[in-house]
Amino acid sequence: HEDQLLDEDQHEQPVTVGRSLKFENPYEDYKILKCIGVGAFGKVHKARNLKTGHLVAIKIQDCTNDNLMDLLQECMLQERFNHQNIPKVMDKYYWEQKLYICMELCEGGDLDNIYMSTGSLKESQVAFVAKKVLETLLYLNQKGYVHRGIKPNNILLTDAGEVRLVDFGLMSRIQKEKPEFIVGTPAYMAPESVLEDLSGDYDERCDVWSLGITLLELAEGKLPLVISSSNSLYEYWEQKQRVPHLRKRDKWSPAFHRFLKDALTLDPAMRPSVELLLQHEFVRNVEHEPSPLKRCLRRSKFLGSIRKFF
Ligand SMILES: Nc1ncnc2c1ncn2[C@@H]1O[C@H](COP(=O)(O)OP(=O)(O)OP(=O)(O)O)[C@@H](O)[C@H]1O
């Protein structure tokens, strides 16, 4: 219980994690109900707290002595963030070589699954996602972090259609630690992550680019650039330099076209910051409630139950 991790936010003062990391059997506190997601390092399950009856999501990851600290760092970052769009961590256990992270359940699932089942989103729904993700990114930027993993798969919805951002495993400090390796999912990665001459000092704006690609995907129902490796991303930008845009010009408002043009500015030095984009006409007047995504959640659930039936 005396393990210590470095807390970067507190000027590298060590903080004790032993107090809140439980070295106990999690199955005595939670009943696993069903698997709701699969990640690179483990699975996410829906579960019930046996004392309170509350439903939670439990991420279960295999641990070795080598990766335990990395996984804990990611979880502790998520724990430390206090923002309505970031799922709260309630408990964490280390038991029989596995890490169990119990957090707020986002019953709606991720936007990747949702749009694949219901079809592309409407403009008002895309604008809502844009605003919520920008607000979360602004919070992270103010704390000094770049997310580096913005994509539909990491944007979850609660039952009420509220947006939650997850996956803090690729996150890094703004301008402090450029990742040693190219990190992220290539199709969403900003051109500067592979083009040296563009990299400059505009680190946090890579999230703005990834958000632009994400919104295009949600609106059109498919990825604008089909790129599966950082090599092919490099080749694409070396040869074509054609910036993705909405194909059907008349289907979308001029504000949406302009927003994407701004977010997908090739040169990060010219790309607007998160703060500036929050003032953009496309998102400025988006209401916080009610969520326009609630309707597509109902549809996704309905389609899910029909599929189960057949
Ligand atoms: N709090 C949650 N509530 C509901 N579903 C969740 C929650 N967290 C994750 N999921 C689901 O589990 C999936 C996998 O999540 P996880 O965080 O393990 O993936 P990951 O580590 O980001 O995966 P990868 O590394 O492959 O990107 C998500 O895409 C989502 O569908």
Side-chain angles (χ1 to χ4, degrees):
H1 291 241
E2 285 171 9
D3 295 353
Q4 292 191 320
L5 290 179
L6 285 180
D7 181 348
E8 290 175 322
D9 270 0
Q10 292 167 15
H11 309 287
E12 311 212 333
Q13 289 293 314
V15 290
T16 304
V17 293
R19 247 176 309 152
S20 52
L21 176 65
K22 298 178 181 168
F23 296 88
E24 296 160 13
N25 182 354
Y27 297 99
E28 285 177 7
D29 296 338
Y30 289 93
K31 179 178 166 54
I32 302 286
L33 300 174
K34 64 170 181 179
C35 179
I36 49 174
V38 180
F41 300 103
K43 289 184 177 170
V44 178
H45 293 84
K46 180 173 171 176
R48 187 185 302 283
N49 183 313
L50 292 170
K51 267 192 215 113
T52 64
H54 288 150
L55 292 173
V56 298
I58 303 190
K59 188 167 171 170
I60 308 177
Q61 293 160 298
D62 286 326
C63 282
T64 60
N65 288 345
D66 292 340
N67 72 358
L68 175 63
M69 281 314 190
D70 286 344
L71 297 177
L72 269 178
Q73 281 278 26
E74 178 186 348
C75 163
M76 285 173 66
L77 276 174
Q78 184 174 346
E79 247 177 337
R80 185 175 320 127
F81 296 140
N82 182 15
H83 191 272
Q84 67 273 18
N85 300 344
I86 298 178
K88 299 271 172 296
V89 175
M90 289 105 170
D91 267 323
K92 52 186 195 285
Y93 299 82
Y94 180 63
W95 184 251
E96 294 182 341
Q97 309 269 297
K98 284 184 167 50
L99 183 66
Y100 295 77
I101 301 166
C102 311
M103 62 182 135
E104 179 192 6
L105 174 69
C106 306
E107 282 266 35
D110 63 72
L111 282 180
D112 208 19
N113 274 322
I114 291 172
Y115 95 72
M116 297 257 191
S117 107
T118 64
S120 54
L121 304 192
K122 291 190 170 45
E123 184 169 322
S124 60
Q125 296 171 325
V126 176
F128 185 79
V129 172
K131 177 144 186 168
K132 295 292 172 173
V133 173
L134 283 170
E135 282 171 352
T136 322
L137 287 177
L138 182 65
Y139 172 84
L140 293 177
N141 289 176
Q142 285 167 347
K143 291 265 169 197
Y145 289 96
V146 191
H147 186 279
R148 295 194 189 281
I150 301 297
K151 55 180 180 177
N153 190 243
N154 287 332
I155 304 171
L156 309 184
L157 295 186
T158 66
D159 236 0
E162 288 301 330
V163 170
R164 299 285 184 266
L165 189 60
V166 290
D167 199 357
F168 302 96
L170 299 178
M171 202 152 68
S172 61
R173 303 282 287 178
I174 294 177
Q175 319 243 327
K176 229 178 154 185
E177 39 172 22
K178 279 241 157 123
E180 262 176 65
F181 308 102
I182 297 173
V183 295
T185 306
Y188 302 90
M189 272 158 50
E192 65 268 24
S193 42
V194 287
L195 296 177
E196 271 298 313
D197 56 324
L198 278 182
S199 60
D201 277 338
Y202 299 92
D203 206 16
E204 70 275 20
R205 302 207 187 165
C206 65
D207 285 341
V208 168
W209 177 279
S210 308
L211 176 63
I213 298 288
T214 297
L215 301 181
L216 249 177
E217 181 180 357
L218 295 176
E220 296 200 322
K222 60 177 185 192
L223 257 172
L225 298 179
V226 183
I227 283 173
S228 57
S229 70
S230 39
N231 274 349
S232 36
L233 187 65
Y234 174 78
E235 276 161 22
Y236 179 86
W237 288 115
E238 271 295 291
Q239 290 161 16
K240 296 196 188 140
Q241 306 245 336
R242 206 162 350 104
V243 174
H245 58 273
L246 290 163
R247 268 165 257 240
K248 293 185 183 156
R249 183 145 279 280
D250 298 339
K251 185 176 174 192
W252 312 101
S253 72
F256 188 16
H257 282 288
R258 281 195 285 269
F259 182 92
L260 285 180
K261 193 161 179 276
D262 290 351
L264 299 175
T265 301
L266 194 61
D267 184 351
M270 307 302 288
R271 195 179 304 147
S273 65
V274 166
E275 199 170 1
L276 204 62
L277 272 185
L278 269 167
Q279 305 304 319
H280 198 283
E281 56 187 328
F282 180 57
V283 292
R284 203 172 36 218
N285 298 321
V286 168
E287 301 282 342
H288 283 267
E289 281 180 77
S291 164
L293 291 159
K294 228 179 148 181
R295 213 165 26 149
C296 81
L297 265 186
R298 275 202 296 270
R299 197 170 139 72
S300 155
K301 264 192 189 163
F302 173 68
L303 291 172
S305 56
I306 292 183
R307 269 187 216 115
K308 238 187 257 165
F309 188 69
F310 288 103

